[in-house]
């Protein structure tokens, strides 16, 4: 099969021919039809994820068709070769304490395509524990739109609705208006609440405004500008970028008893970023993490997409072929190189 591979962290990725992956007894092999290009893939390429072994094929937001099912996948699971599917970027084991409690998104033995094993920048990708982790796509949902749900839209959905506990009449700030940030804005705007989109990029601010958010200039003083625009602070603030500056500003944007949700990755030296704990204590603020979404939570989101309560296809900025991935991945490390909106690879 064709795949995009890098042999060293930071080395130029290449389009290569490699063997198609073997199907695990309890897993499946999916023929990839579309896959998202995410900043998490860039972090992995830069060596910020200790679990990646070289050489490596990245990619973790995908949709396609079942090409092969393992010999131990239960017949009563209902899966058949040819079914149109996606999977969460965290594939759970189904047997650990967290999985048994329904928290598959923080599985103790999780597998992540594109990180723990080769991913979806390839014609085929492995999904472990197929009966648990495969998700059937509605007939009305195309592969590009399904791939755009990937880790970004699903993560944003759970961050706003489940972890953020958004209520009518509240106000929301989203710091970082890239793929996951714009997803969070779309979801919050659909809930009918005031939303403030914070970024340093004019293109990102324009995209946030187009979705219905009030654009706020990021950088120094961003939290003050959010507090002024919202009349004293927001109820829910999300760091969708992942940096010491954006996470700090997100917490400072909150009113008393407000909730901060961290969904932008904080890796390498940023993993231990400082927090304004004086504000956390004085205002009884909540600091929450959100790590993807379990497969069993997808039906509600997919139903909302199918009913056009949300239109994540509007967040796709461009589609590219597989051979354009090396340059697109490299561009994510350059100022302005990532562009606005999501990039989805069509195979």
């Amino acid at each position: 099969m064709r795949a995009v591979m890098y042999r060293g962290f930071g080395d130029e990725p290449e389009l290569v021919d490699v063997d198609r992956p073997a199907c695990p007894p309890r897993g499946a092999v999916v023929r990839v039809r579309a896959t998202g290009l995410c900043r998490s893939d860039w972090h992995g390429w830069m060596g910020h994820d200790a679990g990646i072994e070289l050489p490596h094929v990245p990619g973790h937001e995908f949709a396609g068709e079942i090409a092969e099912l393992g010999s131990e996948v239960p017949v009563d699971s209902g899966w058949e070769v040819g079914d149109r599917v996606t999977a969460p970027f965290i594939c759970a084991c189904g047997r650990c304490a967290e999985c048994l409690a329904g928290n598959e998104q923080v599985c103790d033995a999780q597998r992540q395509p594109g990180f723990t094993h080769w991913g979806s920048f390839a014609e085929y990708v492995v999904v472990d524990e197929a009966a648990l982790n495969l998700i059937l796509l509605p007939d009305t949902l195309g592969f590009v739109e399904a791939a755009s749900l990937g880790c970004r839209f699903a993560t944003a959905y759970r961050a706003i609705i489940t972890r953020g506990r958004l209520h009518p009449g509240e106000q929301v700030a989203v710091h970082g208006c890239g793929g996951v940030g714009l997803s969070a804005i779309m979801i919050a705007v659909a809930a009918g609440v005031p939303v403030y989109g914070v970024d340093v990029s004019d293109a990102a601010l324009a995209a946030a405004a187009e979705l219905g958010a009030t654009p706020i200039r990021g950088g120094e003083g961003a939290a003050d500008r959010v507090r002024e625009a919202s009349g004293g602070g927001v109820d829910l603030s999300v760091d969708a970028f992942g940096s010491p500056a954006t996470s700090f500003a997100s917490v400072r944007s909150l009113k008393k008893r407000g909730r901060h949700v961290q969904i932008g990755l904080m890796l390498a030296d940023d993993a231990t970023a400082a927090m304004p704990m004086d504000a956390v204590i004085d205002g009884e603020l909540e600091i929450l993490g959100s790590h993807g979404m379990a497969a069993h939570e997808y039906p509600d989101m997919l139903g909302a997409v199918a009913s056009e309560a949300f239109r994540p296809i509007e967040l796709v900025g461009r589609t590219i072929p597989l051979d354009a991935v090396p340059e697109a991945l490299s561009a994510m490390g350059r100022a302005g190189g990532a562009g606005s909106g999501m990039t989805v690879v069509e195979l």
Side-chain angles (χ1 to χ4, degrees), residues 315-338:
L315 302 177
V316 177
R318 60 174 179 158
T319 58
I320 61 173
L322 188 63
D323 60 11
V325 168
E327 168 54 28
L329 187 62
S330 299
M332 298 189 86
R334 300 194 291 267

Side-chain angles (χ1 to χ4, degrees), residues 173-176 198-199 216-227 233-234 236-240 243-255 259-260 262 266 273-276 279 285:
V174 177
H175 295 256
V198 186
D199 208 292
I216 301 287
R217 178 63 57 181
E220 186 176 353
D224 292 335
R225 290 188 283 276
V226 171
R227 294 180 67 85
V234 296
L236 173 63
S237 188
V238 174
D239 175 15
S243 75
T246 51
S247 62
F248 197 95
S250 177
V251 175
R252 284 291 191 194
S253 298
L254 293 170
K255 66 191 296 186
R259 308 175 300 281
H260 161 79
Q262 186 67 40
M266 302 282 280
M275 281 281 104
L285 307 180

Side-chain angles (χ1 to χ4, degrees), residues 11 15 18 26 54 58 65 70 76 99 119 132 138 154 211 213 217 233 239 241 251 256 287 298 313 327 340:
D11 290 353
L15 184 64
V18 295
R26 296 170 59 88
L54 299 171
E65 301 150 335
D76 61 4
C99 284
L132 176 64
L211 290 174
R217 178 63 57 181
D239 175 15
F241 180 74
V251 175
K256 289 183 178 180
I287 298 179
Y298 269 70
I313 193 67
E327 168 54 28
S340 60

Side-chain angles (χ1 to χ4, degrees), residues 103-188:
N103 299 317
E104 290 99 329
Q105 74 282 352
V106 289
C107 169
D108 291 332
Q110 61 190 250
R111 299 278 290 165
Q112 298 186 27
F115 297 96
T116 60
H117 60 284
W118 285 8
S120 56
F121 291 165
E123 292 177 318
Y124 295 90
V125 67
V126 165
V127 174
D128 290 295
E129 299 297 333
L132 176 64
N133 293 309
L134 288 177
I135 300 161
L136 187 67
L137 295 176
D139 292 338
T140 56
L141 194 65
F143 289 127
V144 169
E145 188 168 20
S148 76
L149 298 175
C151 82
R152 284 168 286 191
F153 199 89
T155 295
Y157 184 86
R158 188 167 182 275
I160 294 291
I161 302 300
T162 304
R163 296 293 283 159
R165 308 189 308 276
L166 180 62
H167 290 93
E170 293 190 325
Q171 298 187 80
V172 179
V174 177
H175 295 256
C177 300
V180 69
L182 293 175
S183 299
I185 287 171
M186 177 177 281
I187 292 160

Side-chain angles (χ1 to χ4, degrees), residues 290-302:
S290 195
H291 191 224
M293 189 165 76
H296 69 79
E297 295 184 88
Y298 269 70
D300 285 345
M301 180 185 69
L302 290 175

